[in-house]
Amino acid sequence: MAGGAIATTRLLQAQRASAVENNNSTVNLKPAPALAPIMGTGQPETPVLAYNGIVSGPVLRLHQDVLFRADVQNGLDEDTTVHWHGIRLPNAMDGVPDLTQKSIAPGASFQYAYSPPDAGTFWYHPHDHTARQMGRGMAGALIVEEPEPAGFDRDVLWVLQDWELLPDNEIVDGFDDVMQGMMAGRIGTTVTINGTLPTPVPLRAGERIRLRLINACLARFMALRFAGHKVVVMALDGQPVTRPFEPDGGLTVIAPAQRVDLLLEATGNPGSTYAVTDEFYGYDGSYKLTDLAYSVAPKLITSSKPITLPPNPVPAPDLKNPVRHHLTIVGGGMSGMGMGGMMGGMGMMGDSNTPVAIWGIKGSNGLNEGMTPIFTLPLGRTALITLTNTTDWWHPMHLHGYSFHVLSRNGVVAKYPHIRDTVILRPKDTVDIAFVADNPGNWMFHCHVIEHSDFGLMTVIRVA
Ligand code: C2O
Ligand code: CU
Ligand code: CU
């Protein structure tokens, strides 16, 4: 009956509309002090700073191109903002105090509103007092759903954080330590997944899992090995790769702020267990992150259709006609040396009234200075930026407001073309990145080892 069919269609449309509303209507986020069971149940809880009382923060699931609003009410006793890491949004929504907005004072509120143009794995975190607030727990996943499900059997999210805890599980104070800041930053000793000490991750034989990894640590890099399993990189920093690939040597490297979406095929046998280890810091620094624990359920019969993620509408750079710039990272402590090498190429040290700058970014007009743009890109042009790391340290360099193509590393063209918002510069690396400067505003460009950024490894790129 025609009338019945129309009624059904209307009902379905209404249901769909309300599903979208539920996902993308206003979300309330309240950062405030809280207690969190970092070390698991039965252990003393840890005083943290948290969004809506939980660590990691609430998982926000958004729809591509649908307006999203977040009402942020500051329940902390200090200023804060929210930064939507990796989202190509209007400058005024970017959450950088004194650059894109006034910081949100204690008790005050701010409403963010934007439509995310890209589907994928993103995250949010504060951008004021970032080391302390993020280091005490404030970070959450922001997932922008594809319009159609991509064909995985299950979606699994790991928000990775690390903590430096005292025996009573309180967080060690001091997020502004110069010694840590001039070296690798604060690398906590306890690594958690989704806010608690990892417990075995249940798996069913045969299933195809989308494992979304978010590194929300202040400074810890990771290189994950999934024993007995082959993993395939599907997306980096939310952006699908054009050709999915197995990571080199079976190690999934993920720097602070980066995300990796993996296809994890549960090829193990029912009842078996496999370790996931983090081997970034070599033999001595390796540890078991968690176990993959197969249930005894028989193998799931699932589709064998290849899984692909639809590309996002990130514009292709025009490499025939780019605006070129060169930025050089300088400073830091010298590895294996004392204070003598601390100034590297910088030759500047604050007096007692100004913060110590132990890192810097050098453009053609000299060193970065606070929030003063280091250069201006003409709106709409392709920017090709060469980044050189003269220091002895690793830096995950992040550009706000954009996703950029990583063209080459040390002159070698990227084997697997990829788009990122945070790119690793190893000691002495030179990396070429390119993007179409189509998003006007003042955009931060900084190292995501937060202490590096706090001690000077940050600048602003203006697009106008
Ligand atoms: Cu997640 Cu300014 O960064
Ligand atoms: Cu960002
Ligand atoms: Cu750095």
Side-chain angles (χ1 to χ4, degrees), residues 300-312:
L300 185 75
I301 305 304
T302 177
S303 158
S304 56
K305 243 182 52 203
I307 298 174
T308 51
L309 296 172
N312 283 321

Side-chain angles (χ1 to χ4, degrees), residues 58-374:
V59 179
L60 305 180
R61 288 192 179 263
L62 280 58
H63 284 271
Q64 201 173 2
D65 291 320
V66 178
L67 185 65
F68 162 78
R69 283 197 196 87
D71 260 325
V72 178
Q73 210 216 321
N74 185 0
L76 305 167
D77 59 11
E78 61 183 5
D79 288 2
T80 193
T81 61
V82 182
H83 173 59
W84 314 92
H85 184 117
I87 304 283
R88 298 187 295 133
L89 41 58
N91 197 241
M93 297 293 117
D94 197 41
V96 181
D98 305 323
L99 187 70
T100 69
Q101 70 169 97
K102 208 161 101 0
S103 207
I104 312 168
S109 313
F110 187 87
Q111 190 180 70
Y112 295 90
Y114 57 86
S115 306
D118 303 321
T121 307
F122 301 91
W123 65 300
Y124 61 97
H125 62 77
H127 222 289
D128 201 351
H129 307 290
T130 314
R132 182 168 61 245
Q133 291 181 10
M134 218 173 90
R136 288 190 174 277
M138 281 163 64
L142 193 164
I143 290 170
V144 183
E145 313 265 19
E146 287 85 21
E148 304 291 337
F152 298 93
D153 298 311
R154 208 149 59 87
D155 203 294
V156 175
L157 169 69
W158 289 2
V159 179
L160 301 158
Q161 287 166 294
D162 74 350
W163 314 79
E164 208 181 321
L165 299 175
L166 296 165
D168 62 356
N169 295 346
E170 290 214 19
I171 298 168
V172 175
D173 220 336
F175 288 92
D176 50 5
D177 185 81
V178 181
M179 284 306 286
Q180 278 179 340
M182 64 187 258
M183 299 199 277
R186 180 198 272 229
I187 296 171
T189 44
T190 302
V191 177
T192 58
I193 296 180
N194 303 333
T196 51
L197 213 57
T199 50
V201 177
L203 229 64
R204 171 155 184 204
E207 62 180 347
R208 297 193 296 179
I209 287 174
R210 178 182 195 159
L211 180 57
R212 300 178 190 255
L213 304 171
I214 300 176
N215 184 339
C217 299
L218 291 177
R220 178 185 282 278
F221 286 67
M222 295 187 183
L224 301 186
R225 184 184 299 286
F226 297 79
H229 289 73
K230 156 183 128 180
V231 292
V232 177
V233 174
M234 303 297 291
L236 294 168
D237 294 352
Q239 302 296 344
V241 292
T242 35
R243 269 185 299 146
F245 62 93
E246 286 179 49
D248 277 351
L251 285 176
T252 301
V253 175
I254 179 165
Q258 291 188 324
R259 287 87 63 215
V260 182
D261 285 38
L262 292 175
L263 164 63
L264 171 64
E265 287 188 273
T267 47
N269 292 323
S272 57
T273 297
Y274 298 86
V276 181
T277 47
D278 173 9
E279 303 180 3
F280 185 82
Y281 296 98
Y283 184 75
D284 284 345
S286 294
Y287 62 95
K288 183 164 89 171
L289 176 66
T290 189
D291 280 311
L292 303 177
Y294 281 78
S295 70
V296 292
K299 190 167 174 228
L300 185 75
I301 305 304
T302 177
S303 158
S304 56
K305 243 182 52 203
I307 298 174
T308 51
L309 296 172
N312 283 321
V314 177
D318 170 13
L319 295 174
K320 285 196 288 295
N321 188 27
V323 179
R324 284 177 175 270
H325 285 279
H326 195 164
L327 293 175
T328 305
I329 299 166
V330 296
M334 283 191 180
S335 55
M337 279 193 52
M339 299 289 285
M342 181 175 120
M343 296 320 298
M346 290 205 48
M348 72 183 252
M349 182 97 176
D351 59 41
S352 54
N353 298 318
T354 52
V356 184
I358 45 185
W359 300 97
I361 301 180
K362 216 180 229 166
S364 55
N365 295 324
L367 272 174
N368 63 307
E369 254 179 75
M371 293 290 189
T372 312
I374 200 156

Side-chain angles (χ1 to χ4, degrees), residues 368-387:
N368 63 307
E369 254 179 75
M371 293 290 189
T372 312
I374 200 156
F375 55 70
T376 301
L377 298 173
L379 185 64
R381 288 286 299 278
T382 288
L384 197 168
I385 304 178
T386 300
L387 306 169

